[in-house]
Each structure stands twice: as structure tokens, then as C-alpha cells.
Amino acid sequence: MLTLRRAPSLAAQAPSLDDTQAAVLAHRRTAGPVLRVLGAPGTGKTSTAIEVVVDRVRRDQLAPDQCLVLTASRTAAADLRERITARIDGTTTEPLARTHQALGFAILRQAAALRGDPNPRLLSGPEQDIILRELLAGHASGQGKAPRWPSHMHAALATRGFRTELRDLLMRAVERGLEAGDLAALGLAHDRPDWVAAAQVLAEYDEVTALSRPGSYDPASILGAAADLLEADSEARERLASWLRLIVVDDAQELTPAAA
């Protein structure tokens, strides 16, 4: 596989900022701690985000490890890490850019280590597929009470495509803080019997993962778990506040409810 990388000399070169971008950099020192920057694609928002970090490191003498850029995908995070590292011309012990899920996982892992608990682990897509496949196969063989799927879905229940769509529905529900009962209630309210059936699968999925994979989180639930920890544990909040002095969210329009 051929990997193309930006030339270090070009990546380290400071961009020419317009007046609006320069105002973004000056904001922290003149107007307050929070700023929302709006702009169309290609107008330089990501470049500005990078320069905000560089400016805080150089002018405000923050340690690079005290800065974090959050973004929606691992590919974007890797690109941002490379570009920021080139601009500050140094190394860090913590990633300068992460996905929201990676930050949530880091918060949970630190808390587990301090409690002496095993490290949490993230369930992969294939692992989730296996769990759903086993649950649906059990229903088909008469184990337990099978969900009442609409008749037009019966032929699809054993297919990978159906499991993919089901997993996506369940994870979007989890991202929005919905439990099985909430999803079932929405299904009844909106005449969606497929949602009601999926709610039963969600309840069984939660039971199976809790029993057979303790300490495991799927990508949709890890942010909610991290947020719950920060709300309930003042020491965890203080640790995070002492670690991070600057957080920049790139492409904030991509935030899911859980990430927000």
C-alpha cells in the first residue's frame, strides 16, 4: 500500500491568515474562553484550528500535551496530529488530536487504572455482528421469546445486511441515551413495529455484553459512559481539567448527541 505524506518542510510552514482567522487566534487573549467559528467547506477552518493550538503553545506557553483537537474520524485525527506536530516542531507524550470516542476511552481507562480495575476494551464491529448473529439465530431456533418482526422482514433476518442495519439502529439509539424501553415506546408512538422488535434485541444485547464481556463498550456507548463518569465523579472532572487547558473541536457540525 502506498502512503502519501505531506512534506515536513511544507507542513511546518506557517500559513498566511486573513483578518478573520487572525481574530480567531486573538480571541482567547481578548474576549473570553469559548468561540464558535462558522465557515463553509474549504474556507480554512481546520487550518485555523491548527494555528490556534500553535499560537497557544508559543504565545501562552501551554505544553503541547495540554492541548487537544477533537475530530470525527481516525483519518482526520491522524492528519491533524501530523500537521500540528510539524507546526510546533516537537513531540508529545499524548496525542494532539483524537476522535471523540478515543477521548472517552482515555477517560474511562484512566479511571479504571486508578481503581485497580481491568482496562476497558472497545467492542469492534465484527464482535457486535457476532453477538447480534447469535441472538437472532437463537430466536430462529426457538430459544427465548422471539421479537415480533414485521412479516416483510422475515426473509432478511438471517442476512448480514439486516444485522448491519439493526446494529446501526441500536447504536444510534444508544448515542441518544435511549434504553430498550425508550426505543420500544418510540416504536409504539410512531407505528414502527420494527423499532419495538429491535428494542427487545437491544435489551438482550445489553445483557449479553454485560455478562460475557464485562468492561467492554461499543463505540456508541463509550461517550455516554465517559460523560456519566465525569458527572458523577468530581475527582475525574478535576483530573481532566488539570490535564487539558485547550480543547478545539474541528468540524463540530459532525458531532453526534453523545459526542456533544
Side-chain angles (χ1 to χ4, degrees):
M1 180 176 69
L2 178 64
T3 302
L4 301 179
R5 291 183 174 272
R6 189 177 289 101
S9 60
L10 294 178
Q13 186 176 16
S16 177
L17 302 180
D18 61 26
D19 292 343
T20 301
Q21 291 172 312
V24 172
L25 266 62
H27 175 86
R28 176 64 180 88
R29 296 188 298 277
T30 61
V34 179
L35 178 67
R36 181 176 63 173
V37 179
L38 303 178
T43 55
K45 299 189 303 299
T46 297
S47 296
T48 304
I50 293 169
E51 293 308 307
V52 167
V53 175
V54 174
D55 183 74
R56 292 294 301 279
V57 170
R58 292 181 177 175
R59 291 181 180 268
D60 296 349
Q61 296 184 333
L62 290 184
D65 287 340
Q66 293 177 305
C67 305
L68 178 64
V69 180
L70 292 173
T71 189
S73 72
R74 286 180 292 180
T75 300
D79 179 67
L80 281 165
R81 285 195 295 270
E82 183 178 324
R83 294 170 66 182
I84 297 171
T85 300
R87 286 287 291 118
I88 64 175
D89 193 25
T91 59
T92 63
T93 58
E94 295 287 341
L96 278 166
R98 303 186 193 218
T99 63
H100 314 103
Q101 286 82 2
L103 175 61
F105 189 79
I107 292 169
L108 294 173
R109 182 175 57 190
Q110 182 186 57
L114 291 173
R115 293 192 303 264
D117 294 341
N119 278 337
R121 61 184 296 270
L122 191 63
L123 289 173
S124 66
E127 285 179 294
Q128 291 177 292
D129 182 75
I130 289 173
I131 295 170
L132 291 176
R133 185 182 66 194
E134 292 176 347
L135 288 175
L136 294 172
H139 297 154
S141 65
Q143 298 178 19
K145 181 181 178 181
R148 298 180 62 181
W149 295 104
S151 58
H152 68 273
M153 291 185 172
H154 290 175
L157 294 180
T159 66
R160 176 175 294 181
F162 177 82
R163 294 195 302 272
T164 299
E165 294 291 333
L166 176 60
R167 184 178 69 196
D168 188 55
L169 170 63
L170 300 185
M171 295 306 100
R172 300 297 77 74
V174 170
E175 281 182 347
R176 286 156 176 79
L178 300 177
E179 297 182 353
D182 303 316
L183 181 57
L186 281 175
L188 292 171
H190 295 277
D191 192 24
R192 291 295 302 265
D194 51 334
W195 291 3
V196 177
Q200 182 178 331
V201 178
L202 177 58
E204 295 178 354
Y205 175 91
D206 288 340
E207 291 175 0
V208 168
T209 54
L211 291 172
S212 65
R213 295 168 172 81
S216 296
Y217 298 89
D218 52 59
S221 67
I222 197 165
L223 291 175
D228 289 343
L229 172 67
L230 293 176
E231 289 178 351
D233 189 338
S234 60
E235 292 183 359
R237 291 197 303 274
E238 291 171 2
R239 286 195 302 269
L240 185 64
S242 64
W243 164 33
L244 291 176
R245 300 292 303 279
L246 172 69
I247 297 177
V248 179
V249 181
D250 192 32
D251 286 333
Q253 74 277 3
E254 302 292 340
L255 285 171
T256 64

